[in-house]
Amino acid sequence: MRIGPGTRALVTGASRGIGRALARALAARGAALGLVARGAEALEPLSAELGAAALPADVGDRAAISAAVDAFAAGGGLDLVVANAGIAHYGPFATTPIERAEAMNRVNWLGTLYTVHAALPHLRGGHIVVVSSGAGLRAFPEAAAYGATKAAQRAFAEALRHELAGAGVSVTTVFPGEIDTGLHAHEPERMPAWYGSRKASPERLAAAVIAAVEADRRTVAYPREVALLGLNGLAPGLTDRLLRRLRGEAAAPRR
């Protein structure tokens, strides 16, 4: 699909980070936007800046996200939906409160499921973007539950792209690496030793996502080296050795 004036796009997790960068990039193309985030206060400045519809909703609440999607679509339809909302909690699974794992499943995985389920009846052609993570290709120690939610998104999007063949709707899965956002602002003291200090630009990721949608690519890995994590499905031992070299023993301590 071509993104431009007349394209109606809905972005979840739009108030910060990747979602905010995508919203601005879409607005620059002339798209009419519906912006979803949990808090109205966080959405208001961006919606005013972009002339977008602010749709406060928790994606982990099926009724709330369904109502937000329906409200936006009622204003003129829906061409593009970006399931981007996500949260992260790092730390050893054995000592992590189970409520944190449940919250990640509710927002990252069920939030994607609810968003896409609500959007599909409104899509007559168009595109779905699912923002997973490099952790969806190969999960890391101290991010077991987070990686599981991202792997679920990956599997869902892979199958859905094929399910929708012939329906005029396509799907792109995004695998970001470490991006310069506030995703981990609440837990700097819990970041694992393998976590990198160099973070990629969310604006450049947004540009790559838009290019992928317009070219109907099935995946986007950004930075490009994130795609190497896909080797884990073929050669996990080799992937472990590569990660030890690049990120240290903490990335793959069991030999």
Side-chain angles (χ1 to χ4, degrees):
M1 66 175 286
R2 191 72 184 167
I3 299 170
T7 301
R8 292 182 56 79
L10 182 138
V11 181
T12 69
S15 64
R16 64 180 185 174
I18 295 170
R20 182 169 56 196
L22 278 166
R24 285 177 170 152
L26 289 165
R29 292 291 196 95
L33 294 174
L35 306 180
V36 178
R38 278 180 291 180
E41 288 184 6
L43 276 178
E44 286 170 0
L46 186 64
S47 63
E49 172 193 334
L50 303 180
L55 303 163
D58 180 351
V59 297
D61 181 327
R62 180 161 52 92
I65 185 58
S66 181
V69 172
D70 289 349
F72 180 70
L78 181 61
D79 303 301
L80 171 64
V81 60
V82 181
N84 163 74
I87 60 173
H89 297 294
Y90 281 5
F93 180 69
T95 56
T96 296
I98 196 62
E99 292 81 8
R100 288 182 180 166
E102 290 173 335
M104 285 188 285
N105 273 276
R106 186 169 58 252
V107 174
N108 301 359
W109 164 225
L110 289 178
T112 295
L113 202 70
Y114 296 156
T115 300
V116 173
H117 188 265
L120 276 173
H122 300 292
L123 288 168
R124 299 293 182 263
H127 212 97
I128 298 166
V129 174
V130 173
V131 180
S132 177
S133 166
L137 299 170
R138 196 279 197 181
F140 285 76
E142 300 188 45
Y146 175 77
T149 68
K150 294 299 173 177
Q153 287 179 301
R154 173 186 56 76
F156 172 67
E158 284 175 353
L160 192 64
R161 181 177 169 94
H162 289 288
E163 279 188 29
L164 296 174
V169 178
S170 197
V171 181
T172 295
T173 313
V174 184
F175 299 107
E178 288 151 359
I179 307 296
D180 189 10
T181 71
L183 181 65
H184 299 292
H186 64 290
E187 56 178 5
E189 75 287 351
R190 290 202 300 270
M191 298 312 293
W194 51 259
Y195 192 79
S197 58
R198 295 181 62 185
K199 298 179 180 63
S201 160
E203 289 76 21
R204 291 186 179 181
L205 172 58
V209 171
I210 288 176
V213 169
E214 294 193 323
D216 191 20
R217 297 190 191 113
R218 68 175 65 204
T219 62
V220 178
Y222 185 82
R224 289 182 179 179
E225 56 265 28
V226 171
L228 293 173
L229 294 171
L231 289 171
N232 192 66
L234 296 172
L238 173 63
T239 307
D240 285 352
R241 290 194 296 274
L242 178 64
L243 287 171
R244 287 189 200 105
R245 179 173 295 182
L246 294 175
R247 293 301 180 93
E249 288 290 323
R254 180 177 290 246
R255 294 178 180 268

